[in-house]
Amino acid sequence: MDLRKVIREVENFPKEGINFKDITTLMQDGEAFKFTIDEFIKDLKDKNVDVIVGPEARGFLMGTPVAYGMGIGFVPVRKPGKLPHEVESYNYGLEYGTDTLEIHKDAIKPGQRVAIVDDLLATGGTMEAAAKLIEKLGGEVVSMQFLIELEFLNGRDKLTQYNVNSLIKY
Ligand SMILES: O=P(O)(O)OC[C@H]1O[C@H](OP(=O)(O)OP(=O)(O)O)[C@H](O)[C@@H]1O
Ligand SMILES: Nc1ncnc2[nH]cnc12
C-alpha cells in the first residue's frame, strides 16, 4: 500500500518553511491505519519486546495500537508537567524549537526490552530523548519505529547505536 497517498502535506505549518506531514488523513482511512500498525508489529514480532513507549502526542496514536496488537504494555513519554507521579526529565531540540520530555520513574523496570514508536523522525531529538529516559531507568531500547522519516534532516545520525525502522521516507 502506498501510504504517501493518504498523508496530507501542509505547507508553512506550524511555521514558514515547514512542510508538515499530516497523519490525521492516514488515520481516517481504516485500511491504511490498520496496514500501518500491522507493518510495525511485523517488524517487532521477533524482537522479544516487553513494552512499547510512545512520545506525546502522535507517538500515543501510533504506539498504543501496536502495544494492544502485541498484547504488551504501553508507557507514555510526555511533555513537562503532565505526568502525576515522580518523573525523569530530558531536554531536546526539535525541527522547530526545543522541548522537554518526561517519563514516570517506575514505568520501565531494569532489563526490560523496549521499542519506541512515533509518527515521524525529523532531527531525531525526540527519539534520542525518549531513549535516554528509558536507559536512565535501566531499560534496553531494542527498536525505534517511525511511520515517516524526513531523510534530509539526518535524524538517523543521532540514532546510529539503535535499530531504526521507518515505513516511508521523504
Ligand atoms: O525528530 P524530531 O526533530 O525530534 O521531531 C519529531 C517529533 O516531532 C513531532 O512531535 P511534536 O513535538 O511536534 O509534538 P506532537 O506529537 O505533540 O504534535 C513528531 O510527532 C515527533 O515526535
Ligand atoms: N515536517 C514535519 N511534519 C510533521 N511533524 C513534524 N515534526 C517535526 N517535523 C515535522
Side-chain angles (χ1 to χ4, degrees):
M1 182 179 294
D2 188 1
L3 295 175
R4 270 182 194 76
K5 290 194 177 131
V6 289
I7 294 168
R8 176 161 53 198
E9 298 192 30
V10 183
E11 294 295 342
N12 303 317
F13 181 88
K15 285 187 179 167
E16 198 67 29
I18 301 291
N19 173 244
F20 193 85
K21 304 291 186 281
D22 178 15
I23 61 156
T24 66
T25 42
L26 179 150
M27 294 185 69
Q28 275 165 229
D29 181 327
E31 201 185 330
F33 190 28
K34 180 167 171 36
F35 177 84
T36 300
I37 300 307
D38 288 347
E39 285 294 301
F40 286 138
I41 293 174
K42 212 192 289 173
D43 194 76
L44 289 173
K45 76 175 186 328
D46 298 324
K47 293 190 167 70
N48 242 328
V49 179
D50 296 313
V51 63
I52 301 293
V53 164
E56 183 170 349
R58 285 172 267 155
F60 298 174
L61 302 175
M62 295 292 122
T64 51
V66 172
Y68 176 82
M70 294 176 73
I72 60 178
F74 176 84
V75 169
V77 158
R78 294 211 66 174
K79 294 181 178 168
K82 299 283 189 183
L83 290 168
H85 196 55
E86 265 187 88
V87 295
E88 281 292 349
S89 298
Y90 192 85
N91 295 312
Y92 68 107
L94 279 176
E95 186 187 3
Y96 40 79
T98 64
D99 219 333
T100 301
L101 286 180
E102 296 183 342
I103 193 169
H104 272 147
K105 274 189 175 164
D106 62 359
I108 302 290
K109 308 288 174 250
Q112 274 194 317
R113 293 171 62 80
V114 182
I116 317 175
V117 180
D118 204 351
D119 69 319
L120 183 140
L121 172 59
T123 66
T126 303
M127 221 14 135
E128 190 184 26
K132 291 268 199 292
L133 288 169
I134 292 159
E135 288 162 356
K136 210 159 177 186
L137 300 180
E140 184 188 350
V141 177
V142 296
S143 181
M144 294 175 164
Q145 299 284 331
F146 300 94
L147 167 55
I148 299 165
E149 177 174 0
L150 303 182
E151 287 187 301
F152 57 94
L153 292 172
N154 302 313
R156 267 184 199 254
D157 294 354
K158 277 204 186 81
L159 309 174
T160 50
Q161 59 181 304
Y162 300 105
N163 173 278
V164 176
N165 181 48
S166 61
L167 305 186
I168 39 175
K169 297 165 178 52
Y170 289 87

